[in-house]
Amino acid sequence: MPIMRYIVVGAGAVGGTIGGRLFQAGHEVLLVARGAHHDALKSGGLRLITPGSTQTLDIPVTREPVRLRDDDVLILSVKSQDTVAALDPWPRDVPVVCAQNGVANERMALRRFARVYGMCVWLPATHLEPGVVAAYGAPKSGLLQLGRYPDGVDALAGKIAADLSKSSFVGLAVPDVMRWKYAKLLGNLGNAYEALCGRASGGEEIMKRVRAEGRAVLDAAGIGYASPEEERARRGDEVDLRPIEGTERGGGSSWQSLARSSGSIETDYLNGEIVLLGRELGVPAPANEVLRREADRAAREHLPPGSMSPESLAALIDAETGRQAAS
């Protein structure tokens, strides 16, 4: 198989780390970015901060699609609400790897592209400043499991996994990637709580309700998902969350969307996925509906992370539970 060029569409926390690590390992990489982040990458390179080093990487960057080669691979790492717009300009014969949270992106991509791969991403990273990405995983930067969508592995999946494994990641080609992505979805149901309430204590009961709803909906749908024990065993001690001196990790991807005041948030494709399936199956999911609704509102109104108390959120969930029970 020829040497591939990795075109990373969305060079934020996840995409910037993947692209940066592949570039450091000698792979050909092209970053696709927008706005001030593109300008900073173009003028000064990508500043990749890890627990072990800080490097400025002169990775080629573009705003627009480029002429593709036969050996190109798209690594899609935009938020789910931006998937269709991000993919639309690209030729339909290029393989696409969905390195994204949620479980809807692969199907959206498969409407347009014949070769689609899911990637289950466990990669703690932050992107709040143009041109700068901080990756907190060590000794490896992340666990990246990928496979053909909807299932199976092929030579390309194996090649990408091998390249990632040589680039400071644990890269694995797996035949059941969506099983792992549904497990990650259950974990990501807490992203909206973190965005809305920050690190405030008192959210334990809320999160129990949210994840219990998620499991009930997936079980009713007959959708399999890996257990937390399987996830911990797969990650092992190769990817640990480490501090970086002078760079505090405020929160995950949804927290960062509010911190950057981006105006949108991924919750429709996280908690909203459980709400959608629950509505189709007649399984109530009021806690997830409130998190979906309130996180969307916070993003639209440009509220900062931590703008709601756990008590206020719990009261809204109780009210929604009563409303759904009465309807």
Side-chain angles (χ1 to χ4, degrees), residues 7-16 18 32-34 75-88 90 96-102 105 108 121 181 253 257 260 264 266 269:
I7 301 176
V8 182
V9 182
V14 169
I18 292 175
V32 182
R34 301 176 300 178
I75 305 291
L76 184 66
S77 56
V78 300
K79 296 293 192 296
S80 299
Q81 65 269 25
D82 299 322
T83 288
V84 172
L87 285 177
D88 265 350
W90 295 92
V96 176
V97 180
C98 297
Q100 300 163 281
N101 286 334
N105 299 289
M108 286 191 282
V121 176
K181 293 201 73 165
S253 59
S257 291
R260 290 196 304 271
S264 69
E266 200 171 17
Y269 294 91

Side-chain angles (χ1 to χ4, degrees), residues 99-113:
Q100 300 163 281
N101 286 334
V103 294
N105 299 289
E106 289 79 8
R107 193 164 186 265
M108 286 191 282
L110 198 63
R111 291 180 184 272
R112 299 162 174 82
F113 296 81

Side-chain angles (χ1 to χ4, degrees), residues 26 34 40 55 63 70 88 109-110 114 128 162 168 174 182 233 263 269 272:
R34 301 176 300 178
Q55 292 190 24
R63 281 194 182 95
D70 291 342
D88 265 350
L110 198 63
L128 296 175
S168 299
V174 297
Y182 273 102
Y269 294 91

Side-chain angles (χ1 to χ4, degrees), residues 254-273:
S254 296
W255 184 96
Q256 292 174 50
S257 291
L258 294 189
R260 290 196 304 271
S261 193
S262 64
S264 69
I265 199 166
E266 200 171 17
T267 320
D268 281 351
Y269 294 91
L270 302 176
N271 306 86
E273 186 72 30

Side-chain angles (χ1 to χ4, degrees), residues 241-327:
L241 188 63
R242 303 274 179 86
I244 298 175
E245 186 176 355
T247 304
E248 182 179 0
R249 184 171 187 262
S253 59
S254 296
W255 184 96
Q256 292 174 50
S257 291
L258 294 189
R260 290 196 304 271
S261 193
S262 64
S264 69
I265 199 166
E266 200 171 17
T267 320
D268 281 351
Y269 294 91
L270 302 176
N271 306 86
E273 186 72 30
I274 298 302
V275 172
L276 171 61
L277 280 171
R279 287 172 177 167
E280 290 176 337
L281 297 166
V283 179
N288 280 279
E289 167 58 15
V290 169
L291 284 179
R292 184 207 63 77
R293 183 186 72 212
E294 292 303 312
D296 280 356
R297 180 183 63 82
R300 291 194 310 272
E301 296 178 5
H302 297 278
L303 299 178
S307 59
M308 179 177 285
S309 71
E311 294 77 16
S312 297
L313 185 59
L316 290 174
I317 291 172
D318 287 341
E320 180 65 21
T321 300
R323 188 194 68 78
Q324 290 192 17
S327 63

Side-chain angles (χ1 to χ4, degrees), residues 36-59:
H37 189 42
H38 167 274
D39 296 344
L41 294 171
K42 189 79 171 177
S43 62
L46 172 67
R47 186 169 177 238
L48 181 61
I49 307 170
T50 70
S53 68
T54 298
Q55 292 190 24
T56 299
L57 308 172
D58 190 19
I59 307 175

Side-chain angles (χ1 to χ4, degrees), residues 3 9 28 44 118 176 218 222 238 242 257 321:
I3 296 174
V9 182
E28 188 173 356
D176 57 346
L218 295 185
E238 294 193 85
R242 303 274 179 86
S257 291
T321 300

